[in-house]
Amino acid sequence: MKYVVILLCVLVQLAPAKDSPSVRLGLSFIVSFPSMDDEKDFAEMTNASGLDFDLGSTAWGGSVEVLGDLGDRFRIRGGVSVSRLHGAYTEGYDPLSYVLIGLFTAGLGFFLSQSEDVIDLDDEAVSVEAEAYYLFSRTSGFSLSAGVGPVFTFANRSLASPNTVTKGSGSGIGMIASLRLDQESVWELGCLPLMFGLEAGYRMNSVDIDDQEAENFQLDFSGPFLKAGTYIGL
Amino acid sequence: MKTHWILLFPVLLMLLPGCDDNTYPFDIVTDPFTFIYDLQESGSVDVLVLNCYVVTVRTLLSDSSQSAGSHSLQWDLLDAEGQRVPDGLYYIRIILNDELIDTQMYEVHQ
């Protein structure tokens, strides 16, 4: 234990006095709550037919991004993000069969049995984002900024049933507005200057599906989002 | 004797994937088919076919006066332009006196 502590002390050192890098490259984890009104209509129609279709309300994703300072008061960000919303109608095993098979296989069946996505809906977005921030508070430890910028999204929808797959795709432009909290003091991981950042905001971005059958069907990724990222200084 | 019990394991495991066969709560159709719907009261009936984008691709009945009871109707898997619909999920909506009373889902494939 003592050696682990010593190793951590050697590898990770807080250096608050050191200026933060003006350019940082990072990976972020994103959780968002897209409105997806048309998908909700689809889910409602499917449920009306007697199925228990579960459309997720949370989209999960990540991004690769670069942040750069423009003087003391401005910061810009460019990045590529991916986001995925899932919905499914799932059939599990008949409970009696499940228990019997579990008993006859000495418990092995409990581990091997699995549910099946009879109807599987995937909405995916790949977005190119750019945002400019105004830093209205900056100390040696943290900075707080507010930003706005455009986002361009390529989206696709895949709906799979037991024998068919219906796919559609499209692209659309939108806007992002957000607040950022960035670490300005640098942690050093070995030779890498490491920082953390949090972002919360709202995205306005919907995509029309180009499929001829889709008419005005939209994948609406508009909604609030939260992002947490780790950055290295360049 | 122990060997016989061991041989049962792969047999039981092979049964696992088969547990859910034919339990889908919707019909899979490849050809024109007839569906049944019930009306609790007499009135004006609309029957629409929608695709998985919630777009109406065919109107099978429009403002048709029907009596209460069980009725049947055929869908030939054609859209409003007379083309066979692409494979996928389709929904038949029964509307009585401007109120949605039933939705039936079908998987259409070649």
Side-chain angles (χ1 to χ4, degrees), chain A residues 80-191:
Chain A
V80 176
S81 70
V82 294
S83 183
R84 177 176 179 258
L85 182 75
H86 183 248
Y89 164 69
T90 304
E91 280 194 353
Y93 285 90
D94 164 51
L96 182 61
S97 305
Y98 183 72
V99 169
L100 287 176
I101 288 169
L103 289 173
F104 278 107
T105 58
L108 198 60
F110 288 128
F111 296 102
L112 294 176
S113 60
Q114 54 190 353
S115 59
E116 176 192 8
D117 283 351
V118 178
I119 297 175
D120 191 15
L121 174 70
D122 267 318
D123 292 332
E124 291 176 343
V126 178
S127 302
V128 180
E129 304 171 2
E131 203 168 351
Y133 302 86
Y134 176 72
L135 284 77
F136 49 85
S137 174
R138 185 173 193 169
T139 66
S140 58
F142 294 96
S143 66
L144 192 61
S145 57
V148 66
V151 55
F152 187 77
T153 297
F154 303 90
N156 64 69
R157 178 186 196 249
S158 172
L159 178 66
S161 61
N163 300 291
T164 69
V165 178
T166 304
K167 290 187 174 181
S169 61
S171 59
I173 196 163
M175 294 289 287
I176 295 178
S178 61
L179 286 173
R180 277 193 72 90
L181 179 66
D182 282 299
Q183 183 182 342
E184 298 298 333
S185 56
V186 176
W187 293 72
E188 289 188 345
L189 180 65
C191 60

Side-chain angles (χ1 to χ4, degrees), chain B:
Chain B
M1 189 62 187
K2 283 181 180 174
T3 311
H4 294 172
W5 279 106
I6 289 169
L7 288 173
L8 269 178
F9 279 88
V11 174
L12 286 167
L13 292 177
M14 285 167 67
L15 289 173
L16 277 172
C19 287
D20 288 330
D21 276 357
N22 303 318
T23 60
Y24 304 135
F26 52 86
D27 288 331
I28 297 168
V29 293
T30 56
D31 296 304
F33 68 100
T34 300
F35 59 94
I36 295 168
Y37 57 95
D38 294 313
L39 301 179
Q40 298 296 320
E41 58 186 80
S42 301
S44 172
V45 178
D46 297 286
V47 179
L48 310 173
V49 182
L50 292 87
N51 65 13
C52 66
Y53 295 109
V54 204
V55 172
T56 301
V57 296
R58 178 82 179 271
T59 301
L60 298 175
L61 273 184
S62 178
D63 201 18
S64 172
S65 182
Q66 294 193 332
S67 58
S70 185
H71 298 264
S72 65
L73 200 59
Q74 189 187 54
W75 181 34
D76 49 16
L77 305 186
L78 302 181
D79 62 16
E81 278 78 46
Q83 304 293 314
R84 192 187 193 280
V85 295
D87 287 1
L89 294 177
Y90 290 86
Y91 301 78
I92 293 178
R93 277 181 168 171
I94 317 296
I95 299 163
L96 174 64
N97 297 327
D98 296 324
E99 186 181 342
L100 178 65
I101 60 163
D102 190 16
T103 302
Q104 301 177 14
M105 190 177 96
Y106 296 90
E107 184 193 48
V108 174
H109 77 102
Q110 298 282 1

Side-chain angles (χ1 to χ4, degrees), chain A:
Chain A
M1 186 63 191
K2 186 173 70 177
Y3 297 110
V4 173
V5 172
I6 292 170
L7 184 65
L8 284 173
C9 288
V10 170
L11 288 176
V12 182
Q13 298 171 359
L14 179 63
K18 190 174 180 180
D19 287 341
S20 60
S22 58
V23 178
R24 51 187 89 180
L25 171 70
L27 296 171
S28 291
F29 171 76
I30 305 168
V31 56
S32 61
F33 308 93
S35 62
M36 290 287 183
D37 290 335
D38 287 349
E39 287 296 28
K40 286 175 183 168
D41 288 344
F42 165 76
E44 187 181 325
M45 181 171 71
T46 303
N47 286 330
S49 69
L51 278 72
D52 186 16
F53 183 83
D54 181 23
L55 177 67
S57 58
T58 308
W60 305 93
S63 69
V64 179
E65 52 196 26
V66 177
L67 286 157
D69 287 352
L70 296 174
D72 290 335
R73 285 294 170 190
F74 293 96
R75 178 166 287 165
I76 56 171
R77 180 180 66 85
V80 176
S81 70
V82 294
S83 183
R84 177 176 179 258
L85 182 75
H86 183 248
Y89 164 69
T90 304
E91 280 194 353
Y93 285 90
D94 164 51
L96 182 61
S97 305
Y98 183 72
V99 169
L100 287 176
I101 288 169
L103 289 173
F104 278 107
T105 58
L108 198 60
F110 288 128
F111 296 102
L112 294 176
S113 60
Q114 54 190 353
S115 59
E116 176 192 8
D117 283 351
V118 178
I119 297 175
D120 191 15
L121 174 70
D122 267 318
D123 292 332
E124 291 176 343
V126 178
S127 302
V128 180
E129 304 171 2
E131 203 168 351
Y133 302 86
Y134 176 72
L135 284 77
F136 49 85
S137 174
R138 185 173 193 169
T139 66
S140 58
F142 294 96
S143 66
L144 192 61
S145 57
V148 66
V151 55
F152 187 77
T153 297
F154 303 90
N156 64 69
R157 178 186 196 249
S158 172
L159 178 66
S161 61
N163 300 291
T164 69
V165 178
T166 304
K167 290 187 174 181
S169 61
S171 59
I173 196 163
M175 294 289 287
I176 295 178
S178 61
L179 286 173
R180 277 193 72 90
L181 179 66
D182 282 299
Q183 183 182 342
E184 298 298 333
S185 56
V186 176
W187 293 72
E188 289 188 345
L189 180 65
C191 60
L192 289 176
L194 202 64
M195 289 153 290
F196 297 97
L198 291 171
E199 186 166 359
Y202 195 88
R203 169 177 176 149
M204 292 157 284
N205 184 203
S206 62
V207 173
D208 286 321
I209 296 296
D210 292 337
D211 188 344
Q212 190 181 357
E213 306 291 317
E215 290 195 0
N216 298 315
F217 193 91
Q218 283 189 328
L219 294 180
D220 193 351
F221 293 95
S222 300
F225 69 87
L226 288 170
K227 187 193 289 186
T230 307
Y231 303 87
I232 54 170
L234 299 178

